Amino acid sequence: MRAAVMHEANRPLTIEDVSIESPRAGEVVVRIAASGVCRSDLHAWHGRTAFIKPPVVLGHEGAGTVVEVGPG
Ligand SMILES: [Zn+2]
């Protein structure tokens, strides 16, 4: 899949092909149709959060379709 990846604070995101693991217990894989970038993402992009470390794909408020379900 392609994603906008943040590698460094305050630098442009880069569009890259990324891969993900199969879902583990209690997880799902969602094919994202759209995602906003909220103030929390903006804080991460500015390097103002301790818990989000690059490289990271911002945009945790996505909407889409569940395409794979992990155990449980
Ligand atoms: Zn948010």
Side-chain angles (χ1 to χ4, degrees), residues 42-69:
L42 186 58
H43 280 294
W45 186 74
H46 284 302
R48 296 181 186 148
T49 61
F51 55 92
I52 298 175
K53 302 286 186 193
V56 64
V57 177
L58 301 175
H60 58 271
E61 297 175 357
T65 304
V66 174
V67 294
E68 192 173 353
V69 178

Side-chain angles (χ1 to χ4, degrees), residues 12 16 18 20 61:
E16 302 175 19
V18 298
I20 59 171
E61 297 175 357

Side-chain angles (χ1 to χ4, degrees), residues 23-39:
R24 294 172 287 194
E27 296 180 338
V28 297
V29 173
V30 178
R31 180 178 308 279
I32 297 295
S35 178
V37 176
C38 72
R39 180 165 291 279

